[in-house]
Protein backbone atom coordinates (compact mmCIF):
# COMPACT_ATOMS: atom_id res chain seq x y z
CA UNK A 1 0.00 0.00 0.00
CA UNK A 2 2.75 2.46 0.93
CA UNK A 3 4.50 1.84 -2.37
CA UNK A 4 1.24 2.55 -4.23
CA UNK A 5 0.74 5.79 -2.32
CA UNK A 6 4.31 6.88 -3.09
CA UNK A 7 3.70 6.16 -6.78
CA UNK A 8 0.55 8.30 -6.76
CA UNK A 9 2.43 11.04 -4.86
CA UNK A 10 5.19 11.01 -7.49
CA UNK A 11 2.71 11.04 -10.36
CA UNK A 12 0.83 13.98 -8.83
CA UNK A 13 4.08 15.89 -8.24
CA UNK A 14 5.12 15.32 -11.86
CA UNK A 15 1.89 17.03 -13.01
CA UNK A 16 2.76 20.30 -11.28
CA UNK A 17 2.18 22.09 -8.00
CA UNK A 18 -1.58 22.48 -8.53
CA UNK A 19 -2.20 18.75 -9.00
CA UNK A 20 0.19 17.92 -6.17
CA UNK A 21 -1.70 20.29 -3.83
CA UNK A 22 -5.03 18.84 -4.98
CA UNK A 23 -3.75 15.32 -4.22
CA UNK A 24 -2.52 16.50 -0.81
CA UNK A 25 -5.97 17.97 -0.18
CA UNK A 26 -7.60 14.62 -1.02
CA UNK A 27 -5.28 12.83 1.43
CA UNK A 28 -5.93 15.58 3.99
CA UNK A 29 -9.68 14.95 3.63
CA UNK A 30 -9.19 11.23 4.37
CA UNK A 31 -7.08 11.96 7.46
CA UNK A 32 -9.57 14.63 8.54
CA UNK A 33 -12.43 12.16 8.24
CA UNK A 34 -10.60 9.94 10.71
CA UNK A 35 -10.11 12.91 13.05
CA UNK A 36 -13.78 13.79 12.54
CA UNK A 37 -14.85 10.33 13.68
CA UNK A 38 -12.61 10.59 16.75
CA UNK A 39 -13.80 14.10 17.60
CA UNK A 40 -17.47 13.30 17.04
CA UNK A 41 -17.87 9.91 18.69
CA UNK A 42 -15.07 9.58 21.27
CA UNK A 43 -16.83 12.03 23.65
CA UNK A 44 -19.77 9.65 23.81
CA UNK A 45 -17.42 6.81 24.76
CA UNK A 46 -15.53 8.94 27.31
CA UNK A 47 -18.82 9.95 28.93
CA UNK A 48 -19.55 6.29 29.69
CA UNK A 49 -16.79 6.39 32.32
CA UNK A 50 -18.10 9.52 34.04
CA UNK A 51 -20.71 9.76 36.74
CA UNK A 52 -23.94 11.61 36.06
CA UNK A 53 -22.97 14.07 38.79
CA UNK A 54 -19.66 14.86 37.07
CA UNK A 55 -21.33 15.17 33.67
CA UNK A 56 -23.73 17.70 35.19
CA UNK A 57 -21.22 19.53 37.41
CA UNK A 58 -21.41 23.28 36.87
CA UNK A 59 -18.23 25.01 35.78
CA UNK A 60 -16.99 28.46 34.85
CA UNK A 61 -13.48 28.65 33.42
CA UNK A 62 -12.13 32.19 33.09
CA UNK A 63 -15.65 33.45 32.47
CA UNK A 64 -15.36 32.15 28.88
CA UNK A 65 -16.29 28.49 29.22
CA UNK A 66 -19.44 27.99 31.24
CA UNK A 67 -21.78 25.13 31.82
CA UNK A 68 -25.21 25.53 30.32
CA UNK A 69 -28.66 24.15 30.88
CA UNK A 70 -30.56 22.23 28.24
CA UNK A 71 -33.61 24.38 27.47
CA UNK A 72 -35.88 21.39 26.77
CA UNK A 73 -34.94 18.98 29.53
CA UNK A 74 -33.40 21.29 32.11
CA UNK A 75 -30.35 18.99 32.29
CA UNK A 76 -27.01 20.58 33.10
CA UNK A 77 -24.44 20.27 30.31
CA UNK A 78 -21.55 20.32 32.72
CA UNK A 79 -17.86 19.76 33.24
CA UNK A 80 -17.89 16.10 32.16
CA UNK A 81 -19.38 17.03 28.79
CA UNK A 82 -16.81 19.85 28.40
CA UNK A 83 -13.89 17.54 29.25
CA UNK A 84 -15.12 14.69 27.03
CA UNK A 85 -15.46 17.01 24.02
CA UNK A 86 -12.04 18.61 24.50
CA UNK A 87 -10.06 15.44 25.29
CA UNK A 88 -11.46 13.96 22.08
CA UNK A 89 -10.42 17.05 20.16
CA UNK A 90 -6.85 16.86 21.50
CA UNK A 91 -6.56 13.16 20.60
CA UNK A 92 -7.89 13.82 17.09
CA UNK A 93 -5.35 16.61 16.53
CA UNK A 94 -2.39 14.55 17.76
CA UNK A 95 -3.28 11.74 15.37
CA UNK A 96 -3.77 14.22 12.52
CA UNK A 97 -0.41 15.93 13.10
CA UNK A 98 1.65 12.80 12.65
CA UNK A 99 -0.35 11.29 9.80
CA UNK A 100 -0.51 14.54 7.85
CA UNK A 101 3.19 15.25 8.36
CA UNK A 102 4.25 11.80 7.25
CA UNK A 103 1.66 10.68 4.69
CA UNK A 104 -0.25 13.71 3.41
CA UNK A 105 2.66 16.10 2.91
CA UNK A 106 5.53 13.56 2.82
CA UNK A 107 7.46 15.91 5.04
CA UNK A 108 10.52 15.50 7.16
CA UNK A 109 10.13 18.97 8.64
CA UNK A 110 11.78 19.12 12.05
CA UNK A 111 9.27 17.96 14.67
CA UNK A 112 11.09 20.04 17.33
CA UNK A 113 10.18 23.15 15.32
CA UNK A 114 6.83 22.23 13.77
CA UNK A 115 5.22 20.51 16.74
CA UNK A 116 5.39 23.55 19.07
CA UNK A 117 3.92 25.76 16.32
CA UNK A 118 1.23 23.17 15.68
CA UNK A 119 0.52 22.90 19.41
CA UNK A 120 0.07 26.67 19.78
CA UNK A 121 -2.22 26.77 16.74
CA UNK A 122 -4.10 23.72 18.00
CA UNK A 123 -4.53 25.20 21.49
CA UNK A 124 -5.98 28.35 19.94
CA UNK A 125 -8.38 26.26 17.83
CA UNK A 126 -9.31 24.06 20.76
CA UNK A 127 -10.05 27.10 22.90
CA UNK A 128 -12.16 28.51 20.09
CA UNK A 129 -13.90 25.14 19.61
CA UNK A 130 -14.44 24.78 23.35
CA UNK A 131 -16.09 28.19 23.40
CA UNK A 132 -18.10 27.43 20.24
CA UNK A 133 -19.28 24.06 21.56
CA UNK A 134 -20.68 25.73 24.71
CA UNK A 135 -22.85 27.77 22.35
CA UNK A 136 -23.74 24.96 19.94
CA UNK A 137 -24.55 22.12 22.35
CA UNK A 138 -27.46 23.95 24.01
CA UNK A 139 -28.70 25.15 20.61
CA UNK A 140 -28.64 21.65 19.09
CA UNK A 141 -30.02 20.07 22.27
CA UNK A 142 -33.00 22.38 21.95
CA UNK A 143 -33.42 21.44 18.30
CA UNK A 144 -32.90 17.68 18.63
CA UNK A 145 -34.04 17.01 22.19
CA UNK A 146 -30.91 14.95 22.87
CA UNK A 147 -27.72 16.16 24.55
CA UNK A 148 -25.77 13.26 23.01
CA UNK A 149 -26.96 14.12 19.51
CA UNK A 150 -26.22 17.77 20.18
CA UNK A 151 -22.71 16.88 21.34
CA UNK A 152 -22.09 14.88 18.16
CA UNK A 153 -23.40 17.68 15.92
CA UNK A 154 -21.37 20.26 17.84
CA UNK A 155 -18.24 18.14 17.47
CA UNK A 156 -18.91 17.85 13.75
CA UNK A 157 -19.32 21.62 13.39
CA UNK A 158 -16.13 22.35 15.34
CA UNK A 159 -14.32 19.71 13.30
CA UNK A 160 -15.44 21.36 10.06
CA UNK A 161 -14.11 24.75 11.18
CA UNK A 162 -10.80 23.15 12.13
CA UNK A 163 -10.62 21.26 8.82
CA UNK A 164 -10.72 24.44 6.76
CA UNK A 165 -8.13 26.15 8.96
CA UNK A 166 -5.67 23.27 9.33
CA UNK A 167 -4.96 22.54 5.65
CA UNK A 168 -3.20 25.83 4.83
CA UNK A 169 -1.36 25.79 8.16
CA UNK A 170 -0.21 22.20 7.67
CA UNK A 171 0.82 22.95 4.08
CA UNK A 172 3.11 25.71 5.39
CA UNK A 173 4.42 23.74 8.37
CA UNK A 174 5.14 20.59 6.42
CA UNK A 175 6.66 22.17 3.34
CA UNK A 176 10.02 20.40 3.74
CA UNK A 177 9.77 17.25 1.64
CA UNK A 178 11.32 13.90 2.50
CA UNK A 179 14.26 12.80 0.41
CA UNK A 180 13.19 10.07 -2.00
CA UNK A 181 15.03 7.18 -0.41
CA UNK A 182 14.29 3.55 -1.14
CA UNK A 183 12.43 2.06 1.80
Amino acid sequence: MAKGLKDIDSAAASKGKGIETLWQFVKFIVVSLGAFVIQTFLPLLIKLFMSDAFLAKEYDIWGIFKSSVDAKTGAMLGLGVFIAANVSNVIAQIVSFFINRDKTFNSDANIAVTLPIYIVFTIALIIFSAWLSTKLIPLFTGLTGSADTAMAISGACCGAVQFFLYFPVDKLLFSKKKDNKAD
Side-chain angles (χ1 to χ4, degrees), residues 116-128:
I117 294 168
Y118 189 88
I119 288 170
V120 168
F121 183 72
T122 297
I123 288 170
L125 271 181
I126 288 173
I127 289 171
F128 173 74

Side-chain angles (χ1 to χ4, degrees), residues 1-102:
M1 176 73 182
K3 182 68 172 157
L5 188 58
K6 287 181 182 182
D7 291 341
I8 297 170
D9 290 345
S10 295
S14 72
K15 302 285 184 196
K17 286 287 184 194
I19 298 298
E20 180 181 30
T21 297
L22 180 61
W23 173 236
Q24 288 171 339
F25 189 68
V26 168
K27 292 189 293 183
F28 185 82
I29 289 169
V30 172
V31 173
S32 296
L33 286 172
F36 166 81
V37 169
I38 292 169
Q39 189 172 344
T40 303
F41 296 105
L42 187 58
L44 302 174
L45 182 63
I46 291 171
K47 282 178 44 184
L48 294 175
F49 299 97
M50 296 179 180
S51 69
D52 289 341
F54 187 65
L55 288 167
K57 181 176 174 56
E58 275 193 73
Y59 67 95
D60 183 342
I61 303 169
W62 307 314
I64 299 170
F65 311 112
K66 298 177 182 181
S67 52
S68 56
V69 176
D70 176 345
K72 274 191 176 177
T73 66
M76 176 65 67
L77 302 172
L79 186 58
V81 173
F82 179 81
I83 289 172
N86 288 294
V87 165
S88 299
N89 195 347
V90 168
I91 291 169
Q93 298 320 316
I94 290 168
V95 169
S96 292
F97 173 84
F98 288 102
I99 294 173
N100 279 324
R101 177 186 176 270
D102 200 43

